[in-house]
Amino acid sequence: QVQLMESGGGSVQDGGSLGLSCAASGYTTNRVCMGWFRQIPGKERERVATIHTGGGNIDYADSVKGRFTISQDNTKKTVYLQMNSLKPEDTAMYYCAAGVWMDPWDCRSVGGYAYWGQGTQVTVSS
């Protein structure tokens, strides 16, 4: 059973930085998509950034390009999201997700992620 443990998040002012971590366990393949998604109450879950553990392929939502960086440490099965130049519109619940036996071109599809973390709140005040 894949398990995801998120940490980080919190509150910051406009222009500030925060980092998120997601420690994964329960799989042995490197054909895994790891992603960060976010959701505001009443809205659909939005893809923020994804990375493929085997190929290292990275993809960002247009809204965060140049400000957010996703990275991984495969030895620790941990994925990170460094968020810089945060804006109030980045305020949301952020979720880590994993999709096992996925190829890099599948990583953008929300529906492919079968495992989700509990979520961590990020609040950016103006």
Side-chain angles (χ1 to χ4, degrees):
Q1 180 72 10
V2 176
Q3 293 186 323
L4 303 173
M5 182 71 70
E6 299 159 346
S7 60
S11 297
V12 69
Q13 291 198 326
D14 192 355
S17 298
L18 285 173
L20 305 179
S21 298
C22 176
S25 61
Y27 61 83
T28 57
T29 179
N30 66 351
R31 285 180 59 199
V32 178
C33 289
M34 296 291 297
W36 288 100
F37 298 80
R38 64 188 182 187
Q39 190 169 24
I40 301 170
K43 291 195 174 182
E44 290 188 356
R45 194 163 291 188
E46 174 191 22
R47 177 181 57 86
V48 175
T50 61
I51 188 167
H52 193 267
T53 60
N57 308 67
I58 288 175
D59 188 62
Y60 296 101
D62 289 342
S63 58
V64 306
K65 280 181 182 177
R67 300 188 298 121
F68 290 13
T69 302
I70 189 171
S71 60
Q72 64 181 348
D73 182 340
N74 280 340
T75 62
K76 298 180 180 178
K77 288 185 178 177
T78 300
V79 174
Y80 307 93
L81 185 69
Q82 178 63 37
M83 303 180 291
N84 297 329
S85 301
L86 281 161
K87 305 175 183 179
E89 51 263 45
D90 294 317
T91 296
M93 185 71 78
Y94 282 70
Y95 297 90
C96 175
V100 183
W101 299 110
M102 291 176 70
D103 294 308
W105 46 87
D106 296 326
C107 291
R108 300 186 74 183
S109 173
V110 177
Y113 292 81
Y115 306 97
W116 294 81
Q118 76 282 3
T120 184
Q121 179 67 36
V122 171
T123 301
V124 184
S125 58
S126 56

